[in-house]
Amino acid sequence: MEEKENVSILPEEKAAKRLFPLDTISGFPVRPGFYRMNGAYEIADGVSFTVSSHEATSCTLLLFHPMESEPYARIPIPENYRIGDTYSILIYGLKIEEFEYAYQFEGPYCPEKGLLFDKENIILDPYAKAVTGQRKWGERPESGRKFMYKARVVGSCFDWKGLEQLHYKFEDLIIYEAHVRGFTKDESSGVTAKGTFEGLRQKIPYLKDLGINAVELMPIFEFDEMESPRVVDGEQLYNYWGYNTVSFFAPNTSYASEQEHNHEGDELKRLIRELKQNGIEVILDVVFNHTAEGNELGPSFSFKGIDNNIYYMLTPDKKYYNFSGCGNVMNCNHPVVRHFILDCLRHWAIEYRVDGFRFDLASILGRDQNGAPMDNPPILEALAFDPILSKMKLIAEAWDAGGLYQVGSFPSWNRWAEWNGRYRDDMRCFLKGDADMAGRAITRITGSLDMYDAANRGYSASVNFLTCHDGFTLYDLYSYNQKHNEKNGWNNTDGDNNGHSWNCGEEGETQDPQVEGLRRRLVKNAFAALLCSRGPAMFLAGDEFCNTQFGNNNAYCQDNIISWLDWNRLEEYGEIHDFVRFMIHFRKAHPILRNDTKPATNGMPFVSVHNGAPYNNMTDSNTRLIGVMYAGRNSEDTEDDIVFYAMNAFWEPQDLYVPDLPMGWHWKIVANTYCEFVENENFAEKTEHEGNRIKIPERSTIILLAERVEET
């Protein structure tokens, strides 16, 4: 039997019409609405509207014909329709395809108290499921008029076809971070609906073949790409990344390939359904640290006009704290805001069946209303224990722009994972050959147990990554010593100045085959390290075929080939892609790389270190050759599973002596990044070795697998 969502409340509605006489307001038959259902909901022959404000003295519902800027009806919500802080009204005779809606609130205008009510302001419903006004990317159809956001009522009857959640273990995730628009916007993507949810859906066969099992989508909530648009060197710049939320319950309409007419979100739901049918979980990058309303100079279209002093952290002089670096900070631990955030995430879990959330600048969610860090932030605890969200992956970007850095100390209740910024920084330094980094690299590769308690949290807390949207791509990490953000228009002052990059001897693009060969080798080294590390792995879309941003490490405003994936490079760097695909499938085939399994029958420890010689775990400032061995049982519990990862970050070859294996076993070399990767290649023939000695070429990785000797 096909499973369909059905939010119809027809029985309740019929009973209500029998029990209550109807009022008439502005020519509409009305009665009190459904107070516990925030937002707008369609019923059999009408719509219920519910909204709350603590300080407002009155609320008026505005109805607009589609695309019109003047309302055709103003419906003051009677005082007796208000219970507590909540206004709710049910209006009969409305057809959801025939109108858009917004609110106006009256209340005190006292900036010295943080109250900014203005009865002329058009206010967007914070629970809007669809937002009108910016249907086409980069354009506002109300051009020449005062811009306003309005909401549309969304029907909910999507057929999930009996879809079941995948529920992968956290440590088994291989996460692919992607920007919906940039993933397929370039002509080279070959899809028919470029830059949309549908375009991404058409690339699912590619993702499945690559082997990743989770996508982390950069912000897909309705945002304003037209916030502070600029033209620099003739190029139109936008707020491309989308970290400036307009509406938290609505998908970005410009990411849909076609207008959905009161079924906004169906194209995104089809994408999610098909990803999960192909074994790929969906994690959303969510931004609860700030909104698109900005500071005191910014617009007032939502929270500012409802309860400014509740939804935002205000300084003693009632300006806006700015721990986000984007103008304002949401007051996440206020009970009202907590309730809103929980409602929002439950909505995406229920209506869109997503598998988890990555929280941008999550340390802000741990601050109190005065901006001070809290020991046990209520919102983080509520998210950790909410029954609807109990199976959701919760990932914190455990720092903020106000200087709070909580990697390794983010409040977790054994539920939260973290983007491990220390993994990124330490591994970047080691992989390019910096001194005194070997010990740190071993700690990071083996699960960062100096920061995360394996006994309680296992290997699920540390999301390991070397690249993400914020910073260099992996190819650029080994092509540029310095950032090149000139096209952003800030005289190259924006972006990270400490990216631990290395250009391999020549800045930028090169025709030197030795420099290019070294860069390719370092890219493969990076993927080998990432995919042989304990903890969920994440990498940036396009890194698997050496996508470049031409040295721009802060491409937040670049809606062009700087940020778009250039799929032509998939052919040019096909060898890199094939190596990454091999490493992903190798990681999935060997559970000992991801977590302790049952012990190996030969008594080998789960994890051991062999820096040049068997069981030598000593390092000093000059150590650049490391070896990590994992041993346990395979996923079928039928055979020992032993994998050896060796990395030489030195600029000359070094000898590695591997441990003896039990009788009847031998080491097989399955990867050597010094060689061009070819599937099923005999790398032993291309690697100098004798007995237990293996010569590890300069700046190279070798991976070995224990195999039984075939009987003759």
Side-chain angles (χ1 to χ4, degrees), residues 211-229:
I212 57 99
N213 57 16
V215 293
E216 183 174 300
L217 300 179
M218 290 174 64
I220 56 90
F221 295 178
E222 188 70 62
F223 64 85
D224 182 12
E225 74 275 7
M226 297 297 291
E227 181 187 55
S228 303

Side-chain angles (χ1 to χ4, degrees), residues 321-361:
Y321 280 115
N322 191 21
F323 303 121
S324 67
C326 299
N328 64 46
V329 180
M330 287 197 79
N331 191 13
C332 298
N333 284 294
H334 188 286
V336 169
V337 187
R338 281 206 314 269
H339 182 78
F340 174 82
I341 293 173
L342 281 166
D343 279 352
C344 176
L345 296 180
R346 290 167 183 156
H347 167 74
W348 290 97
I350 296 168
E351 294 290 326
Y352 288 85
R353 310 293 174 89
V354 302
D355 301 278
F357 305 97
R358 176 265 184 189
F359 293 78
D360 181 61
L361 298 182

Side-chain angles (χ1 to χ4, degrees), residues 48 186 448:
S48 173
D186 190 63
S448 293

Side-chain angles (χ1 to χ4, degrees), residues 167-194:
H167 293 315
Y168 293 134
K169 294 179 180 179
F170 223 141
E171 62 266 25
D172 293 343
L173 291 188
I174 303 166
I175 303 169
Y176 191 80
E177 189 197 29
H179 187 282
V180 170
R181 181 171 172 84
F183 191 63
T184 62
K185 184 59 180 174
D186 190 63
E187 191 70 28
S188 61
S189 69
V191 303
T192 59
K194 297 174 181 60

